[in-house]
């Protein structure tokens, strides 16, 4: 709906007329200059042509048009336009990502290219984060210690960029699952969200920290936080040879999800990882009604610009 933000400015439209009526037209004073007869006749002829009845009316009309356009501009013409509302789920979702030293192993493939576990996870994880529009998403990374890499925010693209920038070694090279999950729960302790979810991804065995991951999972259950776990890697403790490195403790991750009421996923390939992201999208759907919103689209610049162009045209006419 088109409207004026400050319509009372339109009262200024007759101001120039009132001023000229009340004060009158000031007489023009000037000096004289001697010029050759032929040049003087040419100047007088040009002046009479510009100041004739038609020229005067044109000049007056242009000045009135400029004044009217400027008054309309300051009146603030605008239109009320609806905008697409952001879907709001009322969910806080924390992504807890393992950045231990074993994530450097290159036993995954993206297309026909062999990549490290970290590259596979950051590629698929960033895409997953970008699809969480409507959730408040946070990122926690852990190795020997856990760090809060991105606070809870509706700006899921910023979280996705943090995932893409994740680097092995920034949090140490051990695997401290308990602290990673514990930090996520600490950040959710004062959350007012209707639903609180943690997605925990690890490719190793908890070998740092003094807390049992199952105990942290029990705390999550008491808080009403669901923990979905992803066990990443071709081999786990039940299939690996004794002393083999780079294996994942799938049983512990499965226990964490079962205790907290979440789901557990086993990932051996990049295709598995992409399928898990899709499954999590279905488990934690973002379909919901958003808040209706309308914004004003301002149009003052158009009459102001037209007034400026008309002023330039009048100045050029007067000087030519």
């Amino acid at each position: 709906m088109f409207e004026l933000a400050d319509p009372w400015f339109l009262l200024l439209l007759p101001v120039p007329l009132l001023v000229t009526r009340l004060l009158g037209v000031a007489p023009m004073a000037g000096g004289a200059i001697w010029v050759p007869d032929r040049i003087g006749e040419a100047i007088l002829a040009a002046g009479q042509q510009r100041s004739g009845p038609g020229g005067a009316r044109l000049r007056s009309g242009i000045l009135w048009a400029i004044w009217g356009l400027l008054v309309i501009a300051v009146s603030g013409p605008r239109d009320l336009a609806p905008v697409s509302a952001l879907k709001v789920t009322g969910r806080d979702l924390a992504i807890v990502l393992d950045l231990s030293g074993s994530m450097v192993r290159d036993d995954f493939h993206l297309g026909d290219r062999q990549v490290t576990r970290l590259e596979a996870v950051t590629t698929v994880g960033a895409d997953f984060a970008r699809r969480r529009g409507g959730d408040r998403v946070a990122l926690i990374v852990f190795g020997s210690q856990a760090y809060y890499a991105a606070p809870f925010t509706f700006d899921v693209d910023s979280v996705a960029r943090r995932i893409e920038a994740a680097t092995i070694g920034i949090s140490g090279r051990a695997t401290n699952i308990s602290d990673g999950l514990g930090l996520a729960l600490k950040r959710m302790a004062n959350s007012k969200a209707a639903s609180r979810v943690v997605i925990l991804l690890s490719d190793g065995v908890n070998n740092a920290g003094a807390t049992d991951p199952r105990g942290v999972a029990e705390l999550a259950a008491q808080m009403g936080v669901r923990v979905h776990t992803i066990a990443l890697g071709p081999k786990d403790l039940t299939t690996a040879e004794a002393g083999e490195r780079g294996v994942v403790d799938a049983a512990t991750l499965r226990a964490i999800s079962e205790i907290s009421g979440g789901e557990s996923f086993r990932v051996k390939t990049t295709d598995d990882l992409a399928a898990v992201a899709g499954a999590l999208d279905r488990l934690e759907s973002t379909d919901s009604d958003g808040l209706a919103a309308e914004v004003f689209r301002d149009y003052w610049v158009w009459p102001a610009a037209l007034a400026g162009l008309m002023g330039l045209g009048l100045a050029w006419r007067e000087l030519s």
Side-chain angles (χ1 to χ4, degrees):
M1 180 179 66
F2 188 83
E3 64 177 32
L4 296 176
D6 300 300
W8 58 271
F9 272 112
L10 295 179
L11 297 174
L12 297 176
L13 282 173
V15 167
L17 182 61
L18 295 175
V19 170
T20 55
R21 289 290 178 87
L22 294 175
L23 300 181
V25 179
M28 296 183 63
I33 183 171
W34 290 96
V35 296
D37 292 343
R38 295 177 63 87
I39 296 177
E41 291 173 358
I43 293 175
L44 289 174
Q48 290 172 357
Q49 183 178 3
R50 281 199 300 268
S51 62
R57 284 195 297 270
L58 177 61
R59 182 177 184 276
S60 177
I62 293 175
L63 289 173
W64 272 106
I66 292 173
W67 175 252
L69 289 169
L70 291 176
V71 170
I72 292 173
V74 297
S75 297
R78 62 185 184 178
D79 186 23
L80 188 62
V83 296
S84 300
L86 174 68
K87 294 182 179 298
V88 178
T89 64
R91 178 189 302 115
D92 280 355
L93 187 148
I95 300 174
V96 182
L97 184 61
D98 186 346
L99 291 185
S100 60
S102 56
M103 291 290 284
V104 76
R105 292 177 177 270
D106 56 351
D107 48 11
F108 272 70
H109 289 80
L110 279 175
D112 57 354
R113 184 168 58 92
Q114 190 168 0
V115 297
T116 64
R117 298 178 182 182
L118 178 65
E119 186 174 353
V121 168
T122 54
T123 300
V124 177
D127 180 66
F128 170 76
R130 288 190 172 95
R131 296 200 303 269
R132 305 311 306 172
D135 288 347
R136 280 207 324 155
V137 182
L139 175 65
I140 290 95
V141 299
F142 69 91
S144 304
Q145 297 176 312
Y147 292 94
Y148 201 40
F152 281 104
T153 176
F154 288 110
D155 185 2
V156 294
D157 192 61
S158 68
V159 178
R161 291 195 296 270
R162 292 292 183 91
I163 294 175
E164 291 170 336
T167 304
I168 295 172
I170 191 172
S171 54
R173 303 185 71 86
T175 305
N176 193 343
I177 296 174
S178 300
D179 279 9
L181 179 55
L183 182 57
L185 297 179
K186 181 179 179 181
R187 294 294 182 176
M188 289 182 166
N190 297 321
S191 170
K192 300 295 192 298
S195 176
R196 294 175 293 175
V197 178
V198 173
I199 297 176
L200 169 63
L201 183 145
S202 178
D203 74 331
V205 179
N206 189 71
N207 56 17
T211 308
D212 182 6
R214 290 176 175 82
V216 184
E218 291 174 357
L219 176 60
Q222 294 172 12
M223 294 175 57
V225 177
R226 291 189 307 279
V227 182
H228 303 305
T229 61
I230 302 172
L232 180 74
K235 294 183 180 181
D236 61 31
L237 288 178
T238 60
T239 60
E241 298 179 0
E244 188 173 352
R245 300 175 64 85
V247 299
V248 62
D249 188 357
T252 295
L253 294 175
R254 184 166 54 251
I256 292 172
S257 61
E258 290 174 351
I259 293 170
S260 64
E263 296 288 334
S264 180
F265 301 93
R266 183 73 177 88
V267 171
K268 299 181 180 180
T269 66
T270 308
D271 291 339
D272 291 342
L273 190 58
V276 167
L280 289 170
D281 277 335
R282 292 188 293 272
L283 282 171
E284 305 295 343
S285 174
T286 57
D287 292 335
S288 64
D289 293 332
L291 299 175
E294 291 180 322
V295 297
F296 284 106
R297 184 182 294 114
D298 293 318
Y299 295 104
W300 64 268
V301 66
W302 300 108
L306 182 56
L309 291 175
M310 293 179 70
L312 290 174
L314 180 61
W316 176 83
R317 180 179 179 275
E318 294 291 329
L319 294 175
S320 63

